[in-house]
Amino acid sequence: MTDLDCMLDRIAGLGLPCPPETVAGTISILQQATEAGFEYDDRFLERLAANHQQLGKVIAPITPGSLRGHHYEEKKKVIIWAMWGATLVFLLGFLSLSTFTEISKDYIDKTFMDRDGTIQLIVASFYLSAAGIGACFYNLVKMYKYLITNKFDVAYGSSYAMRILLGVVAGYVLAEIIPINTHNFSKPLLAMLGGFSADAVEVILTRFVDTMKTLVRGDRDRTPHTET
């Protein structure tokens, strides 16, 4: 179905003349193909082949195969540029916030409940930017490995955006909410580590939940049973 998508995008983008019934039929085919439980019968395959040929004639002399490759390269560039942009935003945010007088050891060492108003907002933004750097660094390392081995798949583009969101939340939680001894790790470093490894934060939170369940079940087990 990728060929049909690519050909429709080119026809719409360049305004190439194409019979309306062909466009409508192709859109109908694409919609049916995405329906859950849809079966590819002989009639559907005949319609698919016919529409593929008709669209191929409209975009000629470009072939669907070369168009698919071009479409893939364009989407890959968009994903890579978006990741570079996100990394630059977090880096600039981190550097800019680090120049604020509120970003000092006195305020950093305090908890979020001990800060007031604007100071809390600035410090929280500082941690979020640090977590974003960690998440972007993780994505860039993964993307680089896939690019040099020619295994990069644009279909997973949205997963990189979700990974940044998870990393930002995990980094802030690790730095500000989870009680960790900060003698060995500074809070900005914890935020960056949480952004880089959201899975580690998930494990920590899961351990807390398991401990709480154990305490609750233990109290329940120690409750004396009354006889009737």
Side-chain angles (χ1 to χ4, degrees):
M1 300 301 169
T2 304
D3 284 351
L4 297 180
D5 285 323
C6 293
M7 288 189 285
L8 282 179
D9 288 342
R10 181 169 181 81
I11 291 171
L14 299 180
L16 299 176
C18 182
E21 58 273 13
T22 301
V23 176
T26 304
I27 294 175
S28 175
I29 290 173
L30 293 173
Q31 290 176 343
Q32 289 179 350
T34 57
E35 292 178 358
F38 181 77
E39 296 182 0
Y40 288 60
D41 55 13
D42 293 339
R43 185 170 178 275
F44 176 81
L45 294 176
E46 290 176 0
R47 291 176 55 208
L48 175 62
N51 278 267
H52 191 281
Q53 291 179 355
Q54 292 170 1
L55 293 179
K57 293 178 181 178
V58 174
I59 66 169
I62 296 178
T63 62
S66 61
L67 190 61
R68 182 173 62 251
H70 176 74
H71 185 72
Y72 169 82
E73 290 298 326
E74 289 298 321
K75 292 188 68 175
K76 183 171 72 173
K77 289 179 181 178
V78 170
I79 295 173
I80 294 174
W81 277 104
M83 188 56 57
W84 286 356
T87 305
L88 185 60
V89 168
F90 285 118
L91 278 173
L92 291 177
F94 183 84
L95 293 175
S96 299
L97 290 168
S98 64
T99 62
F100 284 42
T101 56
E102 289 81 0
I103 305 300
S104 63
K105 192 175 186 302
D106 294 335
Y107 293 124
I108 291 294
D109 289 341
K110 292 182 178 179
T111 66
F112 66 96
M113 293 183 292
D114 298 325
R115 305 188 200 100
D116 297 325
T118 306
I119 297 176
Q120 169 61 20
L121 182 61
I122 294 174
V123 174
S125 300
F126 185 66
Y127 291 150
L128 292 174
S129 62
I133 292 174
C136 288
F137 182 69
Y138 176 88
N139 278 346
L140 289 173
V141 171
K142 287 293 184 181
M143 291 172 65
Y144 177 71
K145 291 180 180 178
Y146 291 139
L147 287 171
I148 63 176
T149 56
N150 292 321
K151 295 180 180 180
F152 187 83
D153 192 346
V154 297
Y156 295 97
S158 59
S159 66
Y160 293 110
M162 182 59 67
R163 184 62 184 73
I164 291 179
L165 181 60
L166 287 172
V168 169
V169 175
Y172 183 79
V173 169
L174 186 62
E176 280 283 73
I177 300 177
I178 297 179
I180 294 179
N181 189 339
T182 57
H183 290 296
N184 297 324
F185 299 95
S186 66
K187 286 191 174 183
L189 177 59
L190 287 174
M192 191 174 296
L193 292 176
F196 183 81
S197 181
D199 295 339
V201 180
E202 179 188 2
V203 172
I204 295 173
L205 293 177
T206 302
R207 291 286 178 86
F208 278 125
V209 172
D210 292 340
T211 302
M212 183 179 64
K213 288 181 178 179
T214 301
L215 291 174
V216 173
R217 289 169 181 168
D219 292 340
R220 186 176 300 173
D221 292 339
R222 288 194 296 270
T223 302
H225 297 281
T226 58
E227 297 182 359
T228 57

